Amino acid sequence: MTIDAVEVHGTVAPGFERVADAFANNFVEHGEVGAACAVRVGGEEVVDIWAGTADPSTGRPYDGDTLQLVFSSTKGVVAAAAHVLIDRGLLDPEAPVAAYWPEFAANGKGDIPVRWVLGHRSGVVGIDRVLSVEEFTAWDPFVEALAAAEPLWEPNTAHGYHALSFGFLVGELVRRITGTDIGTFVREEVAGPVGAEFHIGVTDEELPRVAPLIGAVMKPDEAPSPVVVALLTGGTPTNRAFMIAPVLPTSFNEPEILRAQIPSGNGCTSARSLARIYGGLVSEVDGTRLLSPERVDDLRRVQSEGDDLVLISEPNAIGSGFFLPDLESRMLGPGSFGHSGMGGSLGTALPEREIGFGYVMNQMSTKIKGDPRTRALQAAVLACTD
């Protein structure tokens, strides 16, 4: 289908044409290069569309099976893995992390419950040194450093985005409980049952399917955000949370990074798969529901709200492992939950309408929150399901 001179591929159910229009407009108005969007309602696919170029250096077109690195949208899928274990009675969110991972008790962390990690309240966001790339991609060095670390603030007195520590903290809990690494658990127990594909650690066979990310370009008159300034200022919580190893956003295009298990930020997936996973959290997809309604109600209860010590000047609301709507990032409105990734990707769900939504792209945006591309897409979805 051609919309506003943009060749959009895929399928759109009757009544959801407005989503395809918003998608095409992103290419016209917001410089989209290659992207995909998918929506499921009541477990059924209503939108599965893609357009543009996956790799500008070769001209490879974007398609529905293109794998896209989604940065912190990975965290939402990792949080879902934790809630699968909670639903099964294998993980107690009120129990101390150290009950499952004894080494974590070091430096006064013995009483930190799992819930504070999920709600970004533990203070365990940084370590006392910078890891090499080899250490960062090897799992054990970072996990061992986190176990030995002292919280950057008194746990539960404030919240701060666990930018890189989150996935490793939750991933190590999954490993301690199940004996399975987080990449395998997500593939077999979260993505697989709903027919989705989500890689935390891409195989050599799948590497050619990954669309390289295109770095964001600031406008000449665009001032760096307070978060960026804090990130580049040594010793700040923002700097400590993000600068764990000498890697830049575009470093994640490198095979050594894509092959590693970095469950805070190197998940590779498609919009179709994100929509299947989020749809499976709030309804049945292919006969499978990933979480009980009671678990979904619990995970979207506010754990942290207001000023964030890491994402400074970006007040937010956080449930247990998922972002909740706020003024800048409205998602699917009240009751919805999900997780965005640096540059623009997003997976989200609205239980009351049984909506699962996924959006991925290769052209990164400078916006940390409130990306106009996802705002327009989600507004269209809500209008089509009203």
Side-chain angles (χ1 to χ4, degrees):
M1 69 195 92
T2 300
I3 306 170
D4 293 333
V6 177
E7 189 67 27
V8 176
H9 305 272
T11 58
V12 179
F16 285 84
E17 294 85 358
R18 199 177 302 188
V19 180
D21 291 341
F23 181 74
N25 188 63
N26 283 343
F27 285 81
V28 176
E29 298 291 334
H30 301 299
E32 203 79 277
V33 175
C37 179
V39 184
R40 299 185 81 87
V41 178
E44 298 299 318
E45 179 184 278
V46 294
V47 176
D48 183 17
I49 52 178
W50 57 90
T53 304
D55 187 347
S57 70
T58 65
R60 172 165 58 100
Y62 218 98
D63 63 39
D65 292 317
T66 295
L67 291 176
Q68 186 66 68
L69 189 137
V70 294
F71 281 121
S72 287
S73 294
T74 308
K75 291 185 179 73
V77 177
V78 169
H83 286 285
V84 166
L85 291 180
I86 295 171
D87 241 353
R88 294 176 183 176
L90 299 175
L91 177 63
D92 181 354
E94 314 308 334
V97 172
Y100 307 97
W101 178 4
E103 297 90 334
F104 186 80
N107 264 319
K109 303 193 301 299
D111 294 331
I112 293 176
V114 172
R115 180 83 72 182
W116 294 358
V117 169
L118 293 174
H120 296 257
R121 304 189 66 79
S122 78
V124 186
V125 300
I127 56 177
D128 61 3
R129 66 189 181 93
V130 176
L131 301 175
S132 67
V133 174
E134 291 74 21
E135 289 174 314
F136 182 55
T137 57
W139 190 266
D140 285 344
F142 191 18
V143 166
E144 290 168 0
L146 288 170
E150 183 177 354
L152 264 63
W153 61 84
E154 184 179 345
N156 204 38
T157 61
H159 76 281
Y161 185 53
H162 292 29
L164 286 172
S165 65
F166 181 89
F168 286 85
L169 293 170
V170 176
E172 184 65 7
L173 281 168
V174 170
R175 190 181 74 83
R176 295 287 176 131
I177 292 167
T178 68
T180 302
D181 63 76
I182 186 63
T184 300
F185 189 85
V186 162
R187 185 175 67 250
E188 296 181 351
E189 304 293 338
V190 179
V194 291
E197 185 178 15
F198 200 100
H199 301 272
I200 301 176
V202 179
T203 65
D204 287 340
E205 181 182 2
E206 305 298 346
L207 274 174
R209 294 174 52 205
V210 178
L213 284 165
I214 303 167
V217 178
M218 292 183 64
K219 298 176 182 177
D221 59 346
E222 186 177 359
S225 70
V227 173
V228 171
V229 172
L231 187 150
L232 298 174
T233 304
T236 64
T238 311
N239 176 269
R240 295 287 302 278
F242 279 94
M243 304 305 285
I244 301 296
V247 293
L248 299 171
T250 51
S251 301
F252 280 72
N253 287 330
E254 298 298 323
E256 65 179 321
I257 302 291
L258 291 171
R259 290 189 190 104
Q261 294 201 21
I262 305 173
S264 301
N266 83 333
C268 289
T269 189
S270 63
R272 178 187 299 152
S273 287
L274 272 181
R276 279 182 168 270
I277 290 169
Y278 275 92
L281 296 178
V282 298
S283 60
E284 285 192 3
V285 171
D286 293 348
T288 297
R289 178 168 178 145
L290 293 171
L291 296 179
S292 66
E294 295 76 18
R295 178 94 322 264
V296 171
D297 284 343
D298 178 71
L299 69 82
R300 58 180 173 155
R301 290 192 179 97
V302 176
Q303 302 300 315
S304 300
E305 191 170 28
D307 292 335
D308 187 301
L309 296 182
V310 172
L311 297 179
I312 61 170
S313 300
E314 297 283 351
N316 53 27
I318 303 175
S320 289
F322 295 90
F323 283 134
L324 306 176
D326 59 43
L327 290 176
E328 284 296 313
S329 183
R330 299 166 188 154
M331 291 195 280
L332 291 168
S336 62
F337 64 92
H339 217 294
S340 56
M342 180 170 55
S345 63
L346 178 68
T348 186
L350 178 58
E352 283 72 17
R353 299 192 195 181
E354 296 188 346
I355 299 172
F357 172 92
Y359 164 77
V360 302
M361 78 301 133
N362 56 9
Q363 177 59 67
M364 296 179 66
S365 165
T366 59
K367 294 283 290 184
I368 292 175
K369 295 168 62 178
D371 191 306
R373 296 171 295 181
T374 48
R375 273 191 170 184
L377 288 167
Q378 291 176 105
V381 170
L382 289 173
C384 293
T385 57
D386 195 1

